[in-house]
């Protein structure tokens, strides 16, 4: 019997690997990064119970458990292509070709950039890059930064930078253009922040968000939102200012910001310069589905899940034979959901390889994903469950269609 | 600097102005916009500009929700010609 191959050594991939190895099967995990753990590595935040979720610690423990279970992990190995030849998946890395009957794609997510004038200057990076530099590589991205894009991810990372003693001048919106449209609309941004207001460290913000229950209050809120922002961890979050340009001679020297109207238009004559030596762009995350796409898996665009996601069922199985998915490739959610999806995918694969017997474990694992999702501290999209429901519907439509073709 | 002069595709040096103008002129889908301007066709495989090119084209055309708008092609990561052709030194 060959080995199961998993692409991606993040929370989903590693938990799947552990699950499969514990059923006595051989597993190989491949990842392009030089450390196991995926985006879990960058995470550091305080949970409501006062415990700190330290991604590096969690990653180490997952890698340790995987190794103890006999999982082989190959790091620093990008996969450039996969294809199905005869009854097998062929996985191409730069130096080797691997074969397997069961392939799990746990490739996570990528960041959406927000193009603003000057964004090609050295010193401009995605907020995730600043997080990896700070928390994983322990290199300061700079001494004083500006974060462009107000969302859950950027505010969490702003706090991490603060802990690392890096000055964050402000978190603010990008200037509005076609690609930045949603991230640049104060009203839209405020709506998306309201559902995470339970995370706000200040009672004032929490109380304020309780008052924002109808559109009138929201409009009032955004109209009277203090121009200099509301401070969170001492960092001003500015919903009525936007970065109109990043400037510098050969590298970032600062940003030009301006006051914007409640609908996002720049108010002429309000421009001012803020000096900074790095700029983080935070445009949100989308499922990184390149490999599922080259494998020929059907896709659906589901806004609530962050973009195009490969079609799959509750057991994390795609309609393409022997191809499974887990983690953020199936929709943007937190690491804990990714872990429970990994367990489900792992059980589904083991069940298929072993010829059955794990059906009740799979049902339990599917139920666990739901529970984890319901208890998630950070929800990237308030309607993620609606997104999952749509996906399930597309799956059923697809199944009915394939039955019709076979008949 | 104005938005129009801003580079969107770094590999092929395609500006925002060029993309918006082409999208408006031809009412193109993301794929057509890519082919007309070469945005997203450079060595990074469109990893940086993909979502921007997508959104500019989708401002005027309808998104096909059942198909990825800008196709992925292998190799999805850079591979040297030697390795790709299995040439050993």
């Amino acid at each position: 019997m060959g080995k199961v191959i998993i692409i991606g050594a993040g929370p989903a991939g590693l938990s799947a690997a552990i699950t499969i190895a514990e059923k006595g099967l051989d597993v190989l995990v491949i990842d392009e990064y030089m450390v196991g753990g995926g985006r879990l590595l960058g995470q550091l935040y305080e949970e409501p119970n006062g415990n700190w979720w330290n991604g590096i610690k969690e990653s180490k423990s997952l890698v340790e458990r995987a190794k103890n279970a006999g999982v082989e992990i190959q790091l620093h190995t990008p996969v450039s292509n996969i294809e199905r030849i005869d009854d097998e998946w062929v996985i191409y890395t730069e130096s080797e070709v691997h074969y397997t009957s069961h392939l799990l794609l746990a490739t996570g997510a990528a960041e959406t950039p927000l193009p603003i004038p000057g964004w090609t200057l050295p010193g401009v990076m995605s907020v995730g890059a600043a997080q990896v530099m700070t928390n994983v590589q322990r290199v300061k991205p700079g001494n004083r930064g500006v974060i462009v894009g107000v969302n859950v991810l950027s505010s969490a990372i702003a706090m991490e930078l603060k802990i690392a003693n890096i000055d964050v001048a402000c978190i603010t919106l990008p200037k509005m253009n076609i690609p930045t449209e949603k991230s640049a609309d104060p009203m839209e941004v405020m709506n998306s922040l309201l559902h995470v207001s339970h995370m706000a460290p200040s009672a004032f913000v929490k109380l304020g968000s309780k008052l924002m229950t109808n559109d009138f209050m929201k409009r009032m809120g955004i109209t009277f939102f203090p121009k200099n922002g509301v401070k969170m961890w001492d960092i001003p979050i500015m919903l009525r200012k936007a970065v109109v340009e990043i400037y510098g001679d050969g590298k970032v020297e600062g940003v030009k910001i301006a006051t914007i109207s409640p609908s996002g238009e720049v108010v002429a004559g309000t421009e001012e310069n803020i000096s900074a030596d790095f700029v983080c762009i935070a445009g949100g995350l989308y499922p990184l589905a390149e490999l599922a796409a080259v494998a020929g898996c059907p896709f659906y665009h589901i806004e609530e899940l962050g973009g195009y996601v490969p079609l799959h069922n509750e057991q994390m199985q795609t309609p393409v034979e022997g191809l499974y998915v887990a983690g953020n490739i199936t929709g943007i959610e937190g690491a804990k959901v990714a872990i429970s999806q990994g367990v489900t995918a792992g059980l589904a694969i083991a069940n298929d390889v072993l010829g059955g017997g794990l059906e009740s474990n799979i049902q339990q694992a599917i139920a666990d994903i739901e529970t984890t999702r319901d208890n998630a501290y950070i929800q990237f999209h308030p309607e993620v469950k609606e997104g999952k429901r749509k996906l399930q519907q597309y799956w059923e439509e697809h199944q009915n269609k394939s039955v019709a073709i076979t008949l | 600097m104005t938005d129009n002069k801003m580079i969107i595709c770094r590999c092929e040096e395609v500006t925002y102005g060029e993309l918006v103008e082409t999208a408006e002129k031809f009412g193109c889908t993301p794929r057509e916009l890519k082919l007309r301007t070469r945005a997203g066709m450079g060595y990074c495989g469109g990893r940086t500009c993909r979502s921007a090119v997508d959104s500019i084209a989708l401002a005027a055309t309808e998104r096909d929700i059942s198909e990825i708008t800008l196709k992925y092609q292998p190799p999805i990561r850079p591979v040297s010609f030697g390795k790709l052709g299995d040439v050993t030194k």
Side-chain angles (χ1 to χ4, degrees), chain A residues 11-242:
Chain A
L14 288 175
S15 62
I18 294 166
T19 308
I20 297 166
E22 281 173 352
K23 298 290 169 206
L25 303 173
D26 288 336
V27 189
L28 168 65
V29 180
I30 304 173
D31 194 290
E32 62 185 335
Y33 201 55
M34 60 285 232
V35 190
R39 291 314 313 261
L40 188 50
L41 285 168
Q43 296 179 2
L44 183 65
Y45 62 87
E46 194 178 357
E47 294 182 316
N49 57 16
N51 289 340
W52 281 80
W53 172 263
N54 178 345
I56 294 188
K57 226 172 74 191
E58 299 294 330
S59 300
K60 276 189 183 149
S61 114
L62 273 175
V63 169
E64 202 61 29
R65 276 178 59 205
K67 286 188 172 157
N68 289 340
V71 174
E72 185 188 343
I73 304 175
Q74 207 171 310
L75 298 169
H76 225 304
T77 309
V79 171
S80 58
N81 190 16
I82 55 174
E83 60 180 333
R84 196 164 169 89
I85 298 179
D86 298 328
D87 290 334
E88 264 182 327
W89 282 104
V90 186
I91 294 104
Y92 299 91
T93 70
E94 205 179 21
S95 50
E96 262 180 291
V97 180
H98 300 279
Y99 300 87
T100 185
S101 57
H102 293 74
L103 175 62
L104 171 63
L105 301 178
T107 48
E111 294 186 76
T112 309
L114 301 171
I116 33 180
W119 77 309
T120 46
L121 276 174
V124 181
M125 63 193 81
S126 76
V127 78
Q131 184 189 41
V132 171
M133 284 174 82
T134 310
N135 295 359
V136 184
Q137 286 149 352
R138 306 282 185 197
V139 176
K140 279 189 175 186
N143 291 313
R144 186 170 199 252
V146 169
I147 299 180
V148 189
V150 181
N151 52 47
V152 190
L153 191 65
S154 70
S155 36
I157 296 176
M159 185 211 59
E160 295 174 16
L161 292 172
K162 190 97 191 166
I163 293 172
N165 214 8
I166 298 162
D167 191 16
V168 178
C170 61
I171 312 179
T172 185
L173 301 184
K175 174 189 183 185
M176 193 177 276
N177 55 41
I178 299 171
T180 66
E181 202 187 347
K182 277 192 181 159
S183 309
D185 181 339
M187 195 66 179
E188 184 122 5
V189 173
M190 184 150 87
N191 268 333
S192 68
L193 286 178
L194 287 177
H195 81 277
V196 291
S197 59
H198 62 280
M199 291 168 61
S202 116
F204 171 72
V205 177
K206 277 184 202 167
L207 180 70
S209 65
K210 286 221 177 72
L211 298 172
M212 301 281 179
T213 42
N214 63 46
D215 273 0
F216 174 74
M217 286 306 288
K218 282 178 193 163
R219 215 162 304 127
M220 293 295 279
I222 207 69
T223 307
F224 294 109
F225 194 86
K227 297 286 182 295
N228 290 324
V230 167
K231 282 191 176 178
M232 227 190 225
W233 305 291
D234 225 20
I235 303 167
I237 299 187
M238 308 197 292
L239 295 180
R240 290 291 303 279
K241 301 251 185 201

Side-chain angles (χ1 to χ4, degrees), chain B residues 23-89:
Chain B
E24 279 171 3
K25 188 167 171 195
F26 298 99
C28 352
T29 61
R31 177 172 153 76
E32 190 183 339
L33 184 58
K34 175 180 92 169
L35 295 173
R36 285 188 182 276
T37 60
R38 289 200 56 81
M41 292 174 80
Y43 63 84
C44 90
R47 278 201 276 165
T48 313
C49 67
R50 158 181 295 272
S51 59
V53 174
D54 232 29
S55 62
I56 293 169
L58 292 173
T61 58
E62 200 63 28
R63 180 196 291 281
D64 179 353
I65 63 150
S66 68
E67 199 155 351
I68 291 185
T69 39
L70 291 168
K71 201 178 160 192
Y72 288 103
Q73 305 271 16
I76 59 150
R77 290 289 178 275
V79 183
S80 71
F81 270 118
K83 289 271 171 61
L84 193 62
D86 210 10
V87 180
T88 43
K89 249 194 281 191

Side-chain angles (χ1 to χ4, degrees), chain A residues 271-282:
Chain A
E271 291 87 354
E272 56 178 309
N273 289 347
I274 295 183
S275 69
D277 59 355
F278 75 104
V279 172
C280 299
I281 289 189

